Amino acid sequence: MAFATGSCTDLDVDVNSLYTSYPDSEIAIEAKTADVYYAFRGMLGRRYNEAMTFSSDECMGVSFDGDYYDSGNYAHPSLHDFMPDDACMGYWYDLASGITKCNQVLVEFGGKEEEVIAPIRAIRAFYHFILMDSYGDVPILDHVLEADEALERSSRADVAEWIESELLAVIDHMTTNVDASTYGKPTRWMVDALLAKLYINWNVYTQDVTSSSWSALANNEKLDDCVAVCDDIIQSGIFNINDDYLEKFYPTNGSHIKDFIYAMPYTAANQDGLTYGRFRTWRKGDSDGDGGAGLYGIKLAKSCAGNFAMNPEFADLFSLEGDRRNNAIFKDALYQYDPSTYQVTSTPFEYKGEQVVLTKDISLAVVDENLNVGANVSGWSQGYRFNKFIMDPNDFGLYSRCQDNDVPIFRYADILLTKCEAILRGATATNGDTPMGLFNQIRTYVNAPTLASNPTLDELLDERGREFFDENWRRNDLIRFGHFEDDWGFKHTVNPSAKTDYTKRIFPVPTGVLNENTNWTQNEGY
């Protein structure tokens, strides 16, 4: 069974009898739970990000005369032609393994106080949430499987309801402490934020979102509940959005960023697997160019892939006057960055004596599923690039292209815009908040123009694109707002069925998972 990976191999022993007690030492408990909390780190650092980014309107995965085509791993999701064997579809295994580890630790912690068990149940619910959001019907695995137990998938609606019940059961036992000791671990505020995501998407998860009759304006009975959990976070007074937008994502970010409710820590020296910078940086650095200084002002020890090319339609969002978020994009004429301050300099970034100029529009050598832009300076310059998780060039060379940047999963800025959305969709406003006021909090801290009236839902979706790009929520947003089938990039040119194929709102189950669970069938449309 895919979910049983790493379970006990002595099937003659009842796993429930293995431990009657576990050491009370905080060190022992910390050691046992560390692996549980970070089971998703590897996939979040690359493959999950690929699936979320390419399936959205943010980026397309181009190739360079076949280089980085990689059996279609980047092109297929960019064209909404998802394949069960694409590498970026395979993060099911990590989540399943994480859930199994949670269940084993819960057995070992039998009899422990709720405050010890609650965060393990919370992270187990989070793993179920990512599975359900991605693959639709998935198993509810709330116990260690017996040796001969058949594993069944539950409906997406049942999984959503189970996740809600788990989170409500543990929330009052979660720590409210927010400091370095709880950074990267579940807290009460992480549970609130996960509930907010669950509630704002309730009509996506509990109705048939793959049906042509489903509407983005369908009734959502959980909107007031969504506002309530947002208010719990807001009224705590712990979080704010005051940090500079770019600095939140530097390699120096961490527990001091007050916008981060729940984040995944990465340490380059540990080779935890964060590689966002590798696939967004202009491909030809000095290591394989003309020997001059690279984009980051020093010679890179390793070349970057650079095949995450921003779709022109998404690039158009970054045009608000004075918006700090505009500076998180590589575009037009490129200049070197200071490797110690991560600030752009006035020194042009050149390739063989000419300044590199990225173009917003993307031209393919041949318009087909290869998304080939050509293996030359013109091809490498097609499309803007993300500069949000700017890399430390020294770490990039020393530690197998890994980075120190922590990746936020839930942010306070998201809570503000989620409350804004819930009220726009019909929730009762609370505490004097209005959609305009909540929306303008975001615009103000990034120095963008504020609105004089409540935003429309489309304006809110655009703002979410600016604020949370490259943070793995854009696919989720596009589906909820009913824009997942919109035209962008070359999706509809190469794959015209993407306009009307609503089954692609749910990913295919990886082939290996189906092979291990022969009583299952593939998701509709695959």
Side-chain angles (χ1 to χ4, degrees):
M1 297 291 183
F3 271 72
T5 302
S7 59
C8 178
T9 56
D10 185 356
L11 302 180
D12 294 325
V13 178
D14 179 4
V15 69
N16 293 297
S17 68
L18 289 178
Y19 299 90
T20 56
S21 64
Y22 195 83
D24 287 329
S25 164
E26 289 186 11
I27 295 176
I29 293 173
E30 178 75 16
K32 179 59 67 173
T33 56
D35 200 30
V36 165
Y37 295 144
Y38 304 121
F40 190 42
R41 178 155 50 194
M43 288 294 102
L44 179 66
R46 181 177 176 184
R47 296 303 189 186
Y48 178 75
N49 175 257
E50 290 171 354
M52 297 302 111
T53 302
F54 291 139
S55 63
S56 78
D57 59 351
E58 292 182 343
C59 290
M60 73 175 77
V62 300
S63 66
F64 310 101
D65 286 348
D67 196 12
Y68 287 98
Y69 179 69
D70 289 9
S71 301
N73 176 64
Y74 309 109
H76 290 158
S78 301
L79 300 171
H80 282 196
D81 188 23
F82 312 109
M83 299 291 177
D85 293 320
D86 287 339
C88 65
M89 294 287 108
Y91 53 89
W92 180 302
Y93 300 99
D94 291 68
L95 294 163
S97 177
I99 292 170
T100 297
K101 290 174 182 177
C102 288
N103 287 330
Q104 291 169 336
V105 171
L106 286 171
V107 170
E108 295 173 14
F109 282 1
K112 283 291 180 187
E113 57 270 20
E114 291 293 335
E115 286 70 22
V116 173
I117 295 171
I120 303 170
R121 291 176 65 181
I123 201 66
R124 182 179 65 177
F126 172 70
Y127 294 155
H128 277 85
F129 173 85
I130 298 295
L131 273 176
M132 174 269 296
D133 178 76
S134 300
Y135 303 104
D137 298 349
V138 298
I140 296 174
L141 194 66
D142 56 1
H143 61 283
V144 175
L145 289 176
E146 300 292 340
D148 57 352
E149 183 177 351
L151 191 61
E152 301 291 345
R153 297 166 74 183
S154 296
S155 72
R156 202 184 203 193
D158 286 346
V159 179
E161 291 173 358
W162 178 82
I163 293 170
E164 179 192 28
S165 67
E166 278 290 286
L167 296 176
L168 293 178
V170 304
I171 190 168
D172 288 334
H173 301 288
M174 300 293 296
T175 182
T176 59
N177 207 30
V178 176
D179 56 27
S181 70
T182 60
Y183 185 67
K185 301 173 186 176
T187 63
R188 177 187 180 93
W189 320 115
M190 176 271 200
V191 170
D192 273 329
L194 181 52
L195 281 168
K197 287 291 183 186
L198 186 69
Y199 289 150
I200 201 65
N201 287 287
W202 194 256
N203 61 342
V204 174
Y205 299 145
T206 60
Q207 300 178 29
D208 184 5
V209 74
T210 66
S211 170
S212 60
S213 63
W214 182 85
S215 169
L217 298 177
N219 180 56
N220 183 341
E221 64 190 72
K222 296 290 188 177
L223 292 176
D224 285 333
D225 295 308
C226 183
V227 168
V229 292
C230 289
D231 280 345
D232 197 33
I233 295 172
I234 294 169
Q235 293 174 340
S236 73
I238 295 173
F239 306 96
N240 63 61
I241 53 176
N242 297 338
D243 291 297
D244 176 73
Y245 185 81
L246 297 187
E247 293 180 10
K248 293 178 185 182
F249 308 100
Y250 281 174
T252 52
N253 65 358
S255 60
H256 60 282
I257 303 296
K258 297 303 182 183
D259 189 18
F260 290 2
I261 296 172
Y262 176 55
M264 186 64 68
Y266 287 90
T267 303
N270 293 343
Q271 298 188 27
D272 295 327
L274 181 68
T275 59
Y276 287 17
R278 175 188 175 192
F279 295 96
R280 292 149 180 80
T281 300
W282 197 76
R283 183 173 186 270
K284 290 292 179 180
D286 59 333
S287 60
D288 48 1
D290 63 353
L295 182 59
Y296 293 98
I298 64 174
K299 181 177 181 178
L300 288 176
K302 297 179 183 293
S303 176
C304 294
N307 66 319
F308 279 47
M310 185 187 291
N311 286 309
E313 297 84 354
F314 193 73
D316 286 338
L317 295 181
F318 297 89
S319 57
L320 295 177
E321 184 178 357
D323 192 340
R324 178 64 165 153
R325 297 167 299 194
N326 297 341
N327 300 117
I329 305 297
F330 286 131
K331 61 181 179 180
D332 303 330
L334 294 186
Y335 295 83
Q336 291 179 16
Y337 281 72
D338 187 314
S340 61
T341 65
Y342 313 113
Q343 299 293 316
V344 67
T345 70
S346 59
T347 304
F349 170 53
E350 297 181 346
Y351 178 75
K352 296 187 176 179
E354 295 186 15
Q355 185 172 19
V356 174
V357 180
L358 297 181
T359 64
K360 184 182 76 170
D361 293 326
I362 299 173
S363 298
L364 302 181
V366 178
V367 180
D368 63 15
E369 65 179 8
N370 293 292
L371 298 181
N372 177 27
V373 293
N376 51 40
V377 67
S378 175
W380 298 322
S381 302
Q382 298 290 319
Y384 295 167
R385 301 294 196 273
F386 291 162
N387 185 31
K388 191 168 188 173
F389 292 93
I390 189 170
M391 69 174 73
D392 182 317
N394 294 300
D395 285 344
F396 182 79
L398 288 172
Y399 305 115
S400 298
R401 300 187 176 99
C402 290
Q403 298 177 239
D404 265 333
N405 318 60
D406 298 342
V407 176
I409 297 173
F410 300 132
R411 291 207 279 130
Y412 184 66
D414 201 347
I415 294 302
L416 296 176
L417 289 185
T418 298
K419 182 176 181 180
C420 171
E421 180 182 342
I423 298 172
L424 283 176
R425 292 185 183 275
T428 301
T430 60
N431 303 322
D433 285 332
T434 65
M436 182 184 72
L438 293 162
F439 186 96
N440 281 340
Q441 286 188 55
I442 303 300
R443 285 287 182 90
T444 299
Y445 101 92
V446 295
N447 299 314
T450 56
L451 299 185
S453 60
N454 286 336
T456 65
L457 284 175
D458 282 346
E459 286 175 327
L460 179 58
L461 178 61
D462 286 350
E463 192 68 15
R464 291 189 61 83
R466 297 182 190 98
E467 183 67 23
F468 306 114
F469 75 93
D470 215 13
E471 295 182 50
N472 305 302
W473 289 115
R474 186 62 175 173
R475 167 185 168 271
N476 180 282
D477 289 345
L478 289 170
I479 293 172
R480 183 173 70 258
F481 281 80
H483 288 285
F484 194 60
E485 290 74 37
D486 287 1
D487 289 355
W488 63 72
F490 293 94
K491 175 163 60 85
H492 295 96
T493 305
V494 178
N495 181 25
S497 67
K499 290 178 179 288
T500 55
D501 189 354
Y502 306 117
T503 64
K504 297 305 182 283
R505 294 171 179 174
I506 293 176
F507 289 153
V509 179
T511 300
V513 174
L514 291 178
N515 290 342
E516 293 169 342
N517 299 275
T518 56
N519 54 319
W520 296 3
T521 58
Q522 183 55 273
N523 285 337
E524 182 183 356
Y526 298 100

